[in-house]
Amino acid sequence: MDALRSPGPLLTGMRAVVTGGCHGIGGAVTRAFAAHGADVLSLDVDVSAPPATDVHGAGRIEVVELDVTAPSAAQRVAELTEPDVVVHNVGHFLRAPRLFQEEGPADWAEMFRINVDHVFALTATLLPGMVSRGRGGSVITMTTVEAHRAIPGHAVYSGAKAALEAWSRSMALEHGRDGIRFNAIAPDLIETPQVPYHQLVDEEDWWRWRLWAPLARPGTPEDVAGVALFLASPLSGYVTGTTLHVDGGSRAAGGWFPRASGGWTNRPRDP
Ligand SMILES: NC(=O)c1ccc[n+]([C@@H]2O[C@H](COP(=O)([O-])OP(=O)(O)OC[C@H]3O[C@@H](n4cnc5c(N)ncnc54)[C@H](O)[C@@H]3O)[C@@H](O)[C@H]2O)c1
């Protein structure tokens, strides 16, 4: 594979769409793809600080203000680009923890509207073109560690993200022969506007990262962007129907925690 022999850009000549592509994880994905030569259409409701790339010879970034959950959004995207790579990045847990029994159908529908419906709508609209152009492609869906691990107080959120993963796996089979790969990225602990750990965690508690995450630090949007770049590029040409976890090891740890004094415990005590 040429990409293994050459240190050059990985996405030269490709076109990509990134939803929620201006800030947080999506902003980092947009910058990484453009730095590797892709022309990127970055869709966002907040275009106040569009991502820029200062890498010589990089691809173009076009920023378009668009609510990807709007009924007309998918058609608008199809009019703007013919992508090889689609990154479904928009998603949110929406609210403070609340028991399932305290929710109702309107809450469930809103969770699926923000996390799932636009992924289906955009894929359904862009896929026929991807198939007929015959260039193959990569569809990457941002899920969460909580599609694999419980999250009390956010049961419907975890169900919505798990639905995306199951969908992505089946799509990988339906479109393998078209050379279109479907994969998910399941992040956890990534510092973004949605989860601003520097605001959420007091400075005197910052040392506790070595208790919370096996890699002993929060993740950065760039940690996720590197994996998205891999999944978009020929480096992952034989990878489809799977999920890559970008969580500092939190899923692997499950209910295990390092002790401040050394060793591990699955029976943490309240201080
Ligand atoms: N940060 C984490 O640790 C973490 C953990 C698990 C899953 N995720 C998932 O990763 C994805 C990105 O997370 P993040 O933390 O970077 O989020 P974020 O909220 O910080 O950034 C989301 C981006 O999407 C834009 N956006 C929001 N709604 C939109 C809409 N309707 N249309 C277009 N743009 C919209 C925002 O303006 C922003 O640029 C989400 O799907 C999230 O569920 C993140």
Side-chain angles (χ1 to χ4, degrees):
M1 184 203 308
D2 289 345
L4 282 180
R5 284 190 289 269
S6 154
L10 290 166
L11 305 182
T12 302
M14 291 192 198
R15 288 182 293 261
V17 174
V18 182
T19 72
C22 281
H23 309 279
I25 291 170
V29 171
T30 295
R31 289 191 298 273
F33 281 13
H36 277 267
D39 287 337
V40 186
L41 177 62
S42 172
L43 308 169
D44 211 296
V45 285
D46 174 6
V47 297
S48 57
T53 177
D54 52 6
V55 179
H56 181 68
R60 226 164 36 91
I61 297 175
E62 183 184 0
V63 173
V64 170
E65 185 173 356
L66 185 71
D67 177 352
V68 297
T69 67
S72 59
Q75 195 48 47
R76 175 92 200 282
V77 178
E79 287 160 11
L80 289 168
T81 187
E82 295 182 336
D84 309 289
V85 178
V86 181
V87 181
H88 295 296
N89 170 69
V90 165
H92 207 291
F93 54 88
L94 287 181
R95 53 169 183 71
R98 194 166 64 197
L99 294 180
F100 176 71
Q101 289 292 64
E102 296 161 5
E103 295 189 318
D107 302 302
W108 312 332
E110 181 62 0
M111 193 61 81
F112 275 74
R113 191 181 77 80
I114 298 295
N115 287 289
V116 178
D117 297 350
H118 59 90
V119 175
F120 291 178
L122 188 56
T123 305
T125 303
L126 297 179
L127 205 47
M130 292 175 77
V131 171
S132 67
R133 285 190 293 280
R135 289 162 53 105
S138 174
V139 178
I140 301 164
T141 305
M142 220 52 82
T143 63
T144 177
V145 71
E146 279 102 13
H148 303 262
R149 189 187 72 189
I151 176 168
H154 290 282
V156 178
Y157 169 72
S158 78
K161 290 292 200 179
L164 286 178
E165 294 223 356
W167 167 82
S168 176
R169 273 194 298 277
S170 293
M171 292 298 284
L173 270 66
E174 292 192 13
H175 289 281
R177 287 182 188 166
D178 300 316
I180 300 173
R181 299 178 293 110
F182 283 76
N183 292 289
I185 296 176
D188 189 23
L189 304 174
I190 309 298
E191 170 134 32
T192 65
Q194 189 173 134
V195 202
Y197 285 110
H198 273 88
Q199 291 170 33
L200 300 173
V201 178
D202 292 337
E203 206 178 324
E204 66 261 27
D205 285 329
W206 202 254
W207 68 271
R208 291 181 195 273
W209 276 105
R210 66 188 167 89
L211 306 182
W212 295 331
L215 285 180
R217 65 168 177 87
T220 65
E222 287 71 25
D223 286 322
V224 185
V227 175
L229 177 63
F230 166 71
L231 287 176
S233 82
L235 289 176
S236 61
Y238 206 52
V239 179
T240 196
T242 197
T243 297
L244 297 185
H245 299 270
V246 187
D247 58 12
S250 66
R251 182 192 58 101
W256 285 91
F257 301 90
R259 292 181 198 273
S261 55
W264 291 79
T265 181
N266 62 352
R267 285 170 286 141
R269 290 178 302 149
D270 284 336

